[in-house]
Structure formats: C-alpha cells, structure tokens
Amino acid sequence: MLSVIVRSALPKYRTLWLPSQALVRTMSSSAESTPPYTALAISHPAEYITHVELHRPEKRNAMNKAFWSEMVDCFNEIADDPECRVVVVSGAGKIFTAGIDLMDMAGDVLQPDGDDTARISWNLRKIISKYQETFSVIEKCPKPVVVAVHGACVGGGVDLITACDIRLCTQDAWFQVKEVDIGLAADVGTLQRLPKVIGSRSLVNELALTARKIYADEAKSCGLVSRVFADKEAMMAGALEMAGEIVARSPVAVQGTKINLIYARDHSVTEGLNFMATWNMSMLQTQDVMKSAQASMEKKSPKTMVFSKL
C-alpha cells in the first residue's frame, strides 16, 4: 500500500442494558474527533464497551498520517484499560473507509533517509513495518474487537477488518482489495490475514489479483463477515448487543479465548494444545470459573453475574 507513494471521549454510560435505539444514537452521534485524536472519535456507550469510530466523514474516512499513529496509541491504551472489555469499531458518515489518503500520506514517505539504494530501502522497510503495526495492534489487543462496516470498505479498510475478531456489515456494504489497481501488492495485512479469514484460497487470489468488488451477500457466504444487517442503525444495535453478550462473560475467559484463538490460527494443533495447557495452569485459578459454574447450575443468565476487572 505505502510503497506506491514512494514510487510516485464522550460521557461514559454506567448502565449496560439501555434501549438499543438510544445506544445507537450515542454510538453514531459523535460530532467531532475526541482529543487527543483527530482521525478517531472514542466514546463509551455502555459499561466496559469502547466505541472507536473512524472519524473523517468529509474525507470518506480516508486513512491520513494521523490515523496510522492514532490507531496504535488508541489500541495500546485500550489493551491496558480495565474499564474496557470489548471494542466496537465503525466509520462515521456515508461509508466505512475509502482506504489510504494518498495525497496526505505522500509527504510522509516521499523522501526516506539514506545515502544509497540499500540504506533507502532499509528505511523504507522500517516505514512499512511501522504502518503494519497500525492493524497488528488490533490483533495484539486482548479485548475482542467487533467491526461494523457500512458502504465501501476499500484497500486499507480490508487490512483493518481482517485484523478484527468479528466482522458485521450492512446490506449495502462492499469490499475491495484495491492495491493491484494502483500498481502494487497490499502490504499491511490483507494478503496475510484474508486467506485465514476466507475458506477459499481461490477466492482470495481472485479478489487480490483482480480488485473485484465483493458485496454483502457474497461476503457472508465466504466467511468475510458473520452477519448482514438491513442498515447501519440495525447493524450498530446488533454490534452493541453482541458486545453486551461478551461483556457479560468473565474477562479472564474472554481475553484468554481471544489470545488462544489467534495462537491456534498461527500454529499446529499440537502447539496450540500445549500453549492452552500452559495458559490454563494459571488462568484456571480464577474464581470466575466457580461463579460461572454456579450460575449455569442455577440456570441464571451470565448477565446476572458480576466479574472483577482484569
């Protein structure tokens, strides 16, 4: 993605179970970005839920220089925040994102340091690695991330959503691995993560090599998204309901599950089992197991349980 350029906090709600429409209004009512961020708006629509909104609606949420660093800062903070147990990511305005802001990014990497080809290339590699971290940080964050896509999700948008844990979209959503149309291979995550998200390697190759758009129904049938909603309001209500279900569970169990799912994706079954056994040597000592077991025996909803912060 980036090499082509070289070539050329709102009030926090303390009640979790609020009416869906009121919560959707809260999640989509950000009038401006949230300090210290300029490309993102951060809000807390319910207890333990953080809403991260791509917030450059006048630029179709194109990813400018600020976005690439702010996402890293934002998710590093979320990872260490005991008040957050799940994240919902969405886009402000008419679409999710148009991808990289080529005009804004050009000046950032147009003239990398270096006295010769080797040193210039070395510094270019450092730059690209830095921008890869923008989406890798989502995966590294132990809190589950639900992404809600409406309208277009182009280029860097696909890199972003494939790093998230659960993907939802509206009926009018469409997705495009755009990079071959601008003369390069996608370089910040799509080619590495999309094959692990979609079951068909042939389809992944087709999308990456042709830049063909994929629409909501096909995105669901191939596994890119798990649910399709009629419109953005319904999708945001669904995303928040799902986040609420996750929040109701033990944070030890939820975060341990995410960490082990990602480890298992990248390792053999045997390695994954060994990692899981080592992980639970300490994690099974939590009192959350007994609380959850008791609630299950008493046929109580997890929503009635109160789990300590992690």
Side-chain angles (χ1 to χ4, degrees):
M1 178 189 300
L2 299 172
S3 49
V4 71
I5 305 172
V6 178
R7 296 174 187 179
S8 68
L10 297 171
K12 182 172 181 179
Y13 287 73
R14 290 294 175 183
T15 302
L16 177 59
W17 306 109
L18 299 177
S20 294
Q21 289 186 347
L23 282 170
V24 172
R25 285 195 294 271
T26 299
M27 295 181 76
S28 59
S29 63
S30 305
E32 57 187 14
S33 59
T34 309
Y37 304 114
T38 61
L40 304 174
I42 314 300
S43 59
H44 305 277
E47 191 171 25
Y48 298 127
I49 299 175
T50 298
H51 180 209
V52 177
E53 186 179 46
L54 280 59
H55 205 277
R56 299 184 72 218
E58 74 288 353
K59 297 292 185 179
R60 300 187 301 166
N61 296 324
M63 299 171 176
N64 63 350
K65 287 182 287 187
F67 167 86
W68 296 91
S69 60
E70 289 179 7
M71 283 287 285
V72 175
D73 293 340
C74 175
F75 275 89
N76 281 336
E77 290 178 8
I78 287 171
D80 292 332
D81 183 5
E83 297 294 333
C84 175
R85 295 185 183 176
V86 64
V87 184
V88 175
V89 176
S90 69
K94 295 182 179 180
I95 69 170
F96 181 70
T97 180
I100 189 173
D101 188 332
L102 290 170
M103 296 300 295
D104 186 78
M105 294 295 296
D108 193 33
V109 293
L110 189 59
Q111 295 180 317
D113 293 333
D115 298 328
D116 57 24
T117 300
R119 287 167 176 78
I120 291 172
S121 297
W122 185 271
N123 288 319
L124 285 178
R125 188 181 190 280
K126 288 171 60 178
I127 291 170
I128 294 171
S129 296
K130 172 186 173 183
Y131 286 104
Q132 288 174 343
E133 182 65 13
T134 296
F135 302 131
S136 293
V137 74
I138 298 173
E139 215 169 55
K140 294 175 184 177
C141 176
K143 319 298 173 66
V145 180
V146 180
V147 64
V149 178
H150 73 290
C153 178
V154 179
V158 179
D159 295 291
L160 189 162
I161 68 168
T162 53
C164 297
D165 302 295
I166 300 171
R167 289 167 293 278
L168 314 175
C169 77
T170 56
Q171 191 63 56
D172 70 347
W174 55 272
F175 308 82
Q176 186 178 25
V177 183
K178 183 70 173 174
E179 283 79 1
V180 292
D181 274 355
I182 53 176
L184 70 150
D187 56 9
V188 290
T190 289
L191 300 186
Q192 292 70 41
R193 295 188 177 98
L194 190 59
K196 297 178 184 296
V197 169
I198 295 179
S200 169
R201 187 80 187 203
S202 177
L203 178 58
V204 171
N205 294 346
E206 176 190 344
L207 297 176
L209 294 170
T210 68
R212 175 174 73 82
K213 295 179 182 179
I214 180 172
Y215 295 89
D217 290 342
E218 186 179 4
K220 184 174 186 298
S221 67
C222 75
L224 180 57
V225 301
S226 55
R227 297 191 193 181
V228 178
F229 295 85
D231 52 37
K232 185 179 181 181
E233 183 176 8
M235 176 182 65
M236 297 309 295
L240 192 70
E241 181 180 4
M242 184 178 296
E245 292 291 337
I246 295 171
V247 163
R249 272 67 183 179
S250 159
V252 173
V254 167
Q255 294 179 41
T257 296
K258 171 173 177 174
I259 290 168
N260 276 275
L261 281 170
I262 292 175
Y263 187 92
R265 181 198 66 186
D266 297 332
H267 295 79
S268 70
V269 172
T270 300
E271 290 170 324
L273 289 170
N274 287 336
F275 184 80
M276 185 77 252
T278 302
W279 180 269
N280 267 352
M281 285 171 59
S282 57
M283 293 301 109
L284 280 177
Q285 298 181 51
T286 176
Q287 295 183 4
D288 293 6
V289 174
M290 293 303 298
K291 288 182 180 180
S292 300
Q294 183 177 353
S296 179
M297 289 187 291
E298 295 176 358
K299 300 184 189 279
K300 292 182 179 179
S301 168
K303 298 170 187 176
T304 65
M305 304 301 297
V306 178
F307 296 104
S308 300
K309 296 176 183 178
L310 185 59

